[in-house]
DNA sequence: TTGTAGGCGTTATCAA
DNA sequence: TTGATAACGCCTACAA
């Protein structure tokens, strides 16, 4: 492996001059620049990035936290972040927290050991108090999930509004017995706010909210199928359900059809996200501008890294909208 | 930020001894070890990984190449690889090639600049001749996609068999006019072998293969919908189609039902992968053990990194099986 | 416009 | 069992 020294020797110049050429510094004579470039090519030289990192105290690498990459919401988020990062010459380290506090803490060490310049969290497992100390080692940006205590930039969606317009939509279609599914992450603002929006819409319309119409642990298609079987067995059945995700909605729709129910006549269903799945299953859903928040979060992250100032709280909240299909 | 020097000073010992403790070397007196550990805790010390990388010439990081992470096949592959890597203390850098040669070449530089210890490729955009030179900088393992020229370990699925059993299944159900969808990557062995399996089954059964029943550029749900509209407009229509993926199959099924066709009576459809989607849409499909190949590939990668020997060709081929549902 | 030299934080070699 | 010292490869004052 050729080093900067080898290049310098071959070009008949000093390491300094070679370094200047590599880093595009001013005050290098055109002729020497050519000499260096030629030597670099001849030796098939590339700067060793471990050495650069050590010297510059920067890695040009960002860690992205997701619960699981197979969740389509998060894979889309990661795709848009990777695009934005690559464009600015940054790499992404993928960290799957698997919904576990311990796994999240494990990955936080990446920042402390200087393996990455910053962290983008799309979900939060631990209390903010346990994450906060890591701010001493580099910037953190929240994307999607949020927290009131966190004094960092947050790019997220207006989940109160999401819950509200989704529920309102059902109400406007004449449904009155509206059930609610939730992922039930105790500390999740996303889930909490969405529920606030739902309750607000229900209250405004003077509709009742029964505890038996609250279905929790709803994440996946199979959770949706399980929830349908609960609904099927209930005496006091809802006539429609607000779900937290297209997967859950799809699972309910699938199980309902299988049981001979008509959607939306016997049960209306509204999803969340507008995944390809929603179109396939003809689900009305609440669309989230996933690519946009991913890109904005990554751009913000890089801005934070470059402007070495201490971080400040800054909320960017994006709107949501209903996509109507045949499930409502 | 505390350095090893600070720890040494506080413990009243040399850097060497501290380093020995960090790296669990023998010949450190228990008492000094305690002293060092205490000093490390007091200073909240962690070794700087950039310095370790430079010194050890290793990064404990692996780059994983996928075309796009939003493709569920690849996100599942990445999930299983990340699990396997994390278990052995390795990180993953996510590289989306976006089906582009140039992007793939761009990311190959990660290996040359020593940002990663090795590469796992799940798809191949460039000719092997253009990738081969990078073997000089570290190990490469192929997972899913393969190539005959590549003298590296390959973990893949028996795609000939996949095409064969999928087609055979249709034949056994009485279909005779069997269409074929393909992603049409010229150089892809996955696509090529699968087609070989299809042709083999057709030939054995003495069934005709018409060029107009070959549908290319089939990757996504919307490609499937496009393909259905082609089928609909054809005079000589197939009675069934073998698709390269559940997404394409789902798209065809969706468009067919919308147009009032019955599946499988008017058109039978077989998918590939056994994604959650396949269950939702009731698609018969060819199941691939994605998690297994992901894990095996990552374990092989780490083995290659540790055993600094030159790489050798080694094929690991896993079987596939039919999952029957109502689309055939 | 170019070069000298020191240091980023570790670890490995050698000597004690 | 411990320590001094020299790399690893690069960048950047500072001096010329």
């Amino acid at each position: 492996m050729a080093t900067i020294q080898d290049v310098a020797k071959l070009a008949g110049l000093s390491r300094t001059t070679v370094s200047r050429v590599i880093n595009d510094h001013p005050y290098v004579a055109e002729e020497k620049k050519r000499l260096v470039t030629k030597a670099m090519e001849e030796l098939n030289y590339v700067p060793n990035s471990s050495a650069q990192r050590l010297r510059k105290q920067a890695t040009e690498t960002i860690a992205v936290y997701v619960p699981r990459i197979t969740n389509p919401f998060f894979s889309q988020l990661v795709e848009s972040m990777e695009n934005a990062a690559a464009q600015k010459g940054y790499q992404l380290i993928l960290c799957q927290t698997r919904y576990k506090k311990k796994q999240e803490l494990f990955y936080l060490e990446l920042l402390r050991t200087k393996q990455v310049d910053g962290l983008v969290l799309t979900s939060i497992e631990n209390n903010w108090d346990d994450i906060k100390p890591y701010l001493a080692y580099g910037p953190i940006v929240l994307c999607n999930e949020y927290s009131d205590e966190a004094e960092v930039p947050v790019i997220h969606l207006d989940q109160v509004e999401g819950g509200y317009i989704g529920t309102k939509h059902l109400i406007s279609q004449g449904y009155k017995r509206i059930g609610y599914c939730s992922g039930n992450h105790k500390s999740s603002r996303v889930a909490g706010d969405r529920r606030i929006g739902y309750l607000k819409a229900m209250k405004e319309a003077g509709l009742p909210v029964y505890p038996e119409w609250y279905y929790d642990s709803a994440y996946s298609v199979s959770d949706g199928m399980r929830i349908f079987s609960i609904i099927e067995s209930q005496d006091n059945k809802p006539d429609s359900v607000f779900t937290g995700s297209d997967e859950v909605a799809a699972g309910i729709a699938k199980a309902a059809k299988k049981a001979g129910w008509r959607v939306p006549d016997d049960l209306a269903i509204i999803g969340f996200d507008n995944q390809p799945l929603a179109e396939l299953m003809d689900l009305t859903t609440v669309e989230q501008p996933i690519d946009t928040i991913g890109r904005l979060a990554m751009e913000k992250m890089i801005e934070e890294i470059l402007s070495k100032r201490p971080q400040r709280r800054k909320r960017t909240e994006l709107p949501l909208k209903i996509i109507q299909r045949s499930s409502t």
Side-chain angles (χ1 to χ4, degrees), chain A:
Chain A
M1 282 282 47
T3 73
I4 200 172
Q5 183 66 279
D6 302 329
V7 176
K9 195 185 290 175
L10 182 62
L13 293 161
S14 72
R15 289 180 313 189
T16 313
T17 307
V18 176
S19 175
R20 288 217 177 86
V21 173
I22 294 170
N23 295 286
D24 248 347
H25 278 198
Y27 304 127
V28 184
E30 274 307 319
E31 194 200 324
K32 318 260 167 174
K33 197 181 279 184
R34 260 199 313 281
L35 243 51
V36 169
T37 313
K38 185 157 157 268
M40 292 201 299
E41 273 169 16
E42 209 158 309
L43 293 170
N44 192 19
Y45 168 83
V46 235
N48 178 310
S49 75
S50 299
Q52 288 182 314
R53 286 173 178 224
L54 177 56
R55 181 60 234 238
K56 296 188 180 163
Q57 303 282 40
T59 65
E60 312 216 309
T61 305
I62 292 162
V64 173
Y65 290 52
V66 296
R68 292 184 61 183
I69 190 70
T70 41
N71 179 318
F73 174 81
F74 293 105
S75 72
Q76 196 178 337
L77 208 46
V78 168
E79 171 169 305
S80 67
M81 288 190 194
E82 202 267 347
N83 289 341
Q87 211 150 36
K88 309 244 177 188
Y90 279 75
Q91 274 108 235
L92 248 48
I93 288 193
L94 178 67
C95 306
Q96 296 189 101
T97 62
R98 304 181 185 78
Y99 298 103
K100 297 206 178 98
K101 285 188 185 212
K102 206 173 150 191
Q103 192 66 27
E104 185 174 76
L105 287 172
F106 168 78
Y107 277 123
L108 285 170
E109 291 298 311
L110 288 178
L111 191 58
R112 200 153 80 102
T113 57
K114 301 256 175 269
Q115 312 220 39
V116 298
D117 293 340
L119 310 180
V120 179
L121 310 185
T122 68
S123 69
I124 309 179
E125 304 305 327
N126 289 274
N127 298 322
W128 184 253
D129 282 345
D130 295 324
I131 297 176
K132 194 174 176 180
Y134 288 88
L135 278 172
Y137 309 109
I140 297 179
V141 166
L142 301 185
C143 175
N144 177 51
E145 191 53 271
Y146 45 108
S147 146
D148 285 330
E149 306 130 83
E151 307 248 330
V152 300
V154 184
I155 318 286
H156 72 111
L157 299 160
D158 188 343
Q159 300 292 350
V160 175
E161 179 76 1
Y164 183 75
I165 62 175
T167 311
K168 269 286 257 216
H169 170 80
L170 288 172
I171 294 169
S172 75
Q173 303 279 306
Y175 301 101
K176 294 191 160 38
R177 309 160 57 77
I178 304 177
Y180 186 88
C181 303
S182 162
N184 188 35
H185 244 236
K186 299 119 264 168
S187 60
S188 163
R189 277 295 302 271
V190 169
D193 280 1
R194 215 177 269 171
R195 178 141 179 97
I196 288 172
Y198 160 78
L199 292 173
K200 182 176 158 215
M202 294 297 275
K203 192 170 177 191
E204 276 181 19
L207 294 174
V209 174
Y210 299 110
E212 64 262 40
W213 291 350
Y214 179 80
Y215 310 97
D216 64 7
S217 304
Y219 299 98
S220 65
V221 169
S222 59
D223 292 329
M225 303 190 6
R226 173 177 55 71
I227 287 167
F228 174 76
S229 69
I230 296 175
I231 292 176
E232 203 178 11
S233 72
Q234 290 179 317
D235 292 329
N236 185 23
K237 291 181 172 53
D239 61 9
S240 55
V241 273
F242 177 99
T243 67
S245 81
D246 288 334
E247 285 91 340
V248 173
I252 297 178
K254 156 91 178 170
K257 284 175 192 165
K258 198 167 175 183
W261 290 36
R262 286 159 309 157
V263 173
D265 303 356
D266 298 325
L267 186 68
I269 305 164
I270 183 166
F272 217 97
D273 282 0
N274 196 27
Q275 299 287 342
L277 191 61
E279 196 191 344
L280 267 177
M281 301 287 291
D282 261 328
L283 298 169
T284 294
T285 193
V286 178
E287 183 181 48
Q288 313 199 66
I290 305 182
D291 288 342
T292 308
I293 61 170
R295 180 174 50 75
L296 289 177
M298 191 47 65
E299 287 171 358
K300 189 69 188 167
M301 175 84 267
I302 293 172
E303 190 186 317
E304 294 287 306
I305 292 172
L306 298 178
S307 89
K308 317 215 155 188
R309 289 170 317 202
Q311 292 199 274
R312 280 196 246 154
R313 172 177 321 201
K314 166 128 197 295
R315 272 172 81 142
T316 308
E317 195 171 57
L318 275 76
L320 297 162
K321 73 166 193 261
I322 293 278
I323 305 283
Q324 170 140 28
R325 297 206 182 83
S326 75
S327 73
T328 58

